[in-house]
Amino acid sequence: MELENFNQTRRALNKLMADNDDFFSQFGALDDAVYAQGAIPKKYKELMGLSISILTRCEECILYHIQGCLAENATKQEIVEAIKIGVVGGGSITYPSARFAFKALKEMNIVG
């Protein structure tokens, strides 16, 4: 997985969508507002986003929220617990998503 390529592609496709319909720029702004610092600190929102991403089995979302967790100085233990919450919520069907998350964490040298 080439993380910078993933991020560039994601940004380019988000722009393409927003350039073609205002809905996508409005939804992006809503997402940014919801995940911003607020009554719940941004770090915890990113950890929740990671749990939800595991539960919904969205690999792109998993990468996005792992990066958000790291940007907000979440610890390895906090990230692993967020992954576990997603697995408990979704059951064994979420194991492939947990494996994907751990693969990403290993490639980022977060886990050994």
Side-chain angles (χ1 to χ4, degrees):
M1 164 190 10
E2 169 43 46
L3 197 55
E4 188 50 41
N5 186 47
F6 162 79
N7 289 332
Q8 288 176 355
T9 300
R10 183 179 180 282
R11 282 190 295 270
L13 291 173
N14 281 345
K15 182 178 181 339
L16 176 66
M17 290 167 31
D19 287 349
N20 281 279
D21 196 299
D22 285 341
F23 168 82
F24 297 105
S25 59
Q26 293 167 357
F27 188 87
L30 175 63
D31 187 71
D32 290 344
V34 168
Y35 276 94
Q37 190 74 18
I40 297 173
K42 184 165 175 47
K43 177 171 106 171
Y44 300 133
K45 292 178 180 185
E46 290 295 342
L47 290 164
M48 285 189 278
L50 178 56
S51 293
I52 293 165
S53 299
I54 295 290
L55 179 65
T56 59
R57 300 176 290 162
C58 176
E59 291 183 352
E60 184 176 314
C61 305
I62 290 167
L63 288 177
Y64 179 80
H65 287 292
I66 285 175
Q67 291 179 88
C69 289
L70 294 172
E72 294 302 317
N73 299 311
T75 67
K76 175 178 88 170
Q77 293 81 9
E78 290 171 325
I79 293 169
V80 169
E81 284 192 19
I83 293 168
K84 292 186 320 188
I85 289 168
V87 169
V88 166
S92 63
I93 196 167
T94 61
Y95 255 63
S97 296
R99 282 193 291 268
F100 179 83
F102 271 87
K103 178 183 176 211
L105 290 169
K106 184 174 182 177
E107 291 179 8
M108 293 177 196
N109 295 315
I110 305 302
V111 298

